[in-house]
Amino acid sequence: MKVAPTLDKRLRIDVESDVDRLVLQAIVVDARATGGGLADHLGGGMPRELAGDWEELVLPELGDGFDRQLEVVGRAVAALDGEGEIYITVNDAEFWYGALNQARLALEERHHLSEVDEELMPPPLRSAWYRSQFYLMVQGMLLDYLMG
Amino acid sequence: MGETETITSESTRLDQPWNVVVHDDPVNLMGYVTWAFMKVFGYPRAKAEGLMMEVHQAGRSVVWSGEREHAELYTQQLQALQLRTTMEKAE
């Protein structure tokens, strides 16, 4: 897989094998595998006098926004027919960034990757760590080339 | 029939300001946190970077203080950007 910015301010992902496609499909799978709702996690620390309204009015809206991010990425990956390219535009950059962030947050929640020694990881954890590093790399490119 | 006397009085009390607090987490990129502060508050890069560093080094930072309605809006926007954000009454 190759990821590179284009001259017309897009990010191009070249999908060169089934493994590449599986890695991209894993973004949504990883993101959805979180134990609790991300919105609940992010908005869960509100003071008591605001918590009720927050839970009723804000958290569902946050959850809908996070779902939309995964839909955008899921649709782009599903549209791949074998090998091919995905182009991320400026308009979609925040959706992609958010989806990748959800995946990394979920992996961190499940595996505590930031606390584990890379050299001592068992194979299943190593696979999660590599995915997280790939997501991180794409996020960095989105930030540098499309969201700046 | 007796007359009814109506007495009105007004008092003005300033609302206590609220802080918007962003907490550190092991996932969000430092550059992204800076970008989020610039996007939500319109802060110049130097101020946004300073607040980001405070989040990173101190574990939390008060990134904005003011009236409750605005604090709620900013908090919601930062949470939508997946930053762990809470509100608290200013001391």
Side-chain angles (χ1 to χ4, degrees):
Chain A
M1 180 149 38
K2 296 189 190 76
V3 184
T6 66
L7 290 174
D8 60 352
K9 206 170 166 65
R10 293 186 293 174
L11 203 63
R12 171 178 165 163
I13 303 176
D14 288 345
V15 179
E16 299 167 316
S17 69
D18 288 343
V19 174
D20 289 354
R21 201 167 64 251
L22 285 173
V23 170
L24 292 174
Q25 288 169 342
I27 298 169
V28 174
V29 175
D30 282 332
R32 291 203 189 281
T34 183
L38 176 59
D40 292 343
H41 170 71
L42 291 168
M46 299 300 283
R48 199 182 323 167
E49 61 191 291
L50 298 176
D53 282 350
W54 214 258
E55 199 171 308
E56 186 180 348
L57 303 172
V58 176
L59 297 193
E61 198 174 317
L62 285 177
D64 289 346
F66 297 148
D67 285 343
R68 272 197 298 279
Q69 294 171 343
L70 299 184
E71 284 166 16
V72 167
V73 172
R75 267 202 307 272
V77 176
L80 278 172
D81 185 18
E83 297 176 7
E85 304 91 31
I86 290 177
Y87 288 93
I88 304 174
T89 64
V90 169
N91 288 340
D92 281 347
E94 285 187 46
F95 290 109
W96 273 83
Y97 190 99
L100 291 162
N101 221 50
Q102 288 187 57
R104 288 182 55 234
L105 282 165
L107 288 173
E108 179 63 29
E109 182 184 299
R110 286 168 61 204
H111 302 299
H112 306 286
L113 296 174
S114 62
E115 300 166 12
V116 180
D117 186 341
E118 180 193 336
E119 300 294 322
L120 304 175
M121 285 181 185
L125 207 57
R126 188 173 296 271
S127 168
W129 185 83
Y130 277 121
R131 291 202 304 282
S132 181
Q133 290 299 301
F134 171 70
Y135 302 158
L136 177 66
M137 185 268 296
V138 177
Q139 282 188 302
M141 296 185 79
L142 288 168
L143 200 54
D144 287 345
Y145 295 108
L146 271 59
M147 295 163 66
Chain B
M1 183 179 271
E3 289 183 6
T4 302
E5 184 183 9
T6 303
I7 300 172
T8 60
S9 68
E10 287 183 18
S11 67
T12 303
R13 182 173 61 85
L14 291 175
D15 278 341
Q16 188 176 5
W18 285 76
N19 293 334
V20 176
V21 183
V22 173
H23 303 261
D24 194 21
D25 69 68
V27 167
N28 277 305
L29 296 172
M30 294 163 84
Y32 176 72
V33 177
T34 301
W35 173 86
F37 293 160
M38 293 168 70
K39 179 184 172 82
V40 170
F41 301 110
Y43 289 156
R45 176 171 294 279
K47 178 169 182 174
E49 282 178 345
L51 291 169
M52 175 277 294
M53 285 307 295
E54 189 171 74
V55 173
H56 181 61
Q57 290 170 346
R60 53 170 266 157
S61 176
V62 175
V63 296
W64 188 87
S65 291
E67 62 181 23
R68 175 174 155 172
E69 285 75 15
H70 279 102
E72 288 179 352
L73 179 65
Y74 290 142
T75 298
Q76 185 176 353
Q77 289 176 334
L78 291 167
Q79 289 178 352
L81 293 173
Q82 299 180 31
L83 302 188
R84 204 155 67 79
T85 311
T86 57
M87 285 171 58
E88 64 186 19
K89 281 184 178 162
E91 297 279 313

